């Protein structure tokens, strides 16, 4: 099994960029399209645990204003073979004092790359 095959990284990287853009613009359709549409999908957020695409969709629809704006501080993409990848990043919310972390597990489906699991957390204040 090959880690970080440049061809696979080149497939995943623009999707990770698209996710970040959609998150910042609160583009619910694109965010929804990037997640696997099944009951197996999990998203652990800063204050919520969501199981299945329906819970994830409902959370996004009812979150006023969408995700807080943020700056990406560092991102690491690790591909595993031809069909799996992990995207990890550190971020800081605009005007915030905490470092956030996000991990996503992506896999190749018949409909393209999809996020199967995501986890977002905030560390203690850095000030």
């Amino acid at each position: 099994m090959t880690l970080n095959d440049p061809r696979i990284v080149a497939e995943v990287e623009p999707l990770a960029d698209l996710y970040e853009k959609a998150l910042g613009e609160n583009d619910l359709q694109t965010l929804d399209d990037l997640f696997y549409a099944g009951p197996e999908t999990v998203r652990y957020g800063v204050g919520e645990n969501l199981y299945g695409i329906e819970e994830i969709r409902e959370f996004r629809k009812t979150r006023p204003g969408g995700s807080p704006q943020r700056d990406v501080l560092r991102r690491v993409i690790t591909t595993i073979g031809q069909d799996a990848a992990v995207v990890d990043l550190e971020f800081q919310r605009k005007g915030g004092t905490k470092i956030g972390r996000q991990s996503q597990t992506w896999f190749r489906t018949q409909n393209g790359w999809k996020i199967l699991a995501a986890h977002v957390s905030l560390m203690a204040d850095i000030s």
Side-chain angles (χ1 to χ4, degrees):
M1 184 169 312
T2 302
L3 292 178
N4 294 330
D5 178 323
R7 294 170 298 143
I8 306 306
V9 173
E11 291 179 23
V12 174
E13 189 170 30
L15 294 170
D17 292 342
L18 179 61
Y19 176 88
E20 197 61 31
K21 181 178 186 289
L23 188 67
E25 295 175 356
N26 199 32
D27 180 348
L28 301 183
Q29 185 61 57
T30 298
L31 291 170
D32 192 50
D33 290 345
L34 291 172
F35 271 74
Y36 179 69
E40 304 85 355
T41 305
V42 175
R43 181 189 176 276
Y44 293 147
V46 173
E48 66 284 337
N49 296 328
L50 306 171
Y51 296 92
I53 193 63
E54 294 305 324
E55 287 185 16
I56 295 167
R57 287 176 179 152
E58 187 61 27
F59 168 76
R60 285 207 176 102
K61 284 192 294 191
T62 59
R63 179 168 54 180
S67 180
Q69 296 296 301
R70 66 190 195 178
D71 293 313
V72 174
L73 305 175
R74 183 175 183 176
R75 182 174 74 180
V76 176
I77 297 174
T78 305
T79 64
I80 307 155
Q82 303 293 305
D83 300 319
V86 178
V87 178
D88 294 298
L89 61 83
E90 290 181 49
F91 64 88
Q92 187 169 20
R93 290 178 173 170
K94 302 259 187 208
T97 59
K98 295 182 179 186
I99 298 296
R101 299 172 289 188
Q102 174 182 287
S103 295
Q104 297 171 332
T105 302
W106 293 71
F107 76 117
R108 187 190 307 273
T109 72
Q110 291 179 336
N111 298 317
W113 287 92
K114 301 293 179 184
I115 299 167
L116 183 62
H119 187 175
V120 181
S121 62
L122 296 174
M123 297 176 68
D125 285 340
I126 58 173
S127 56

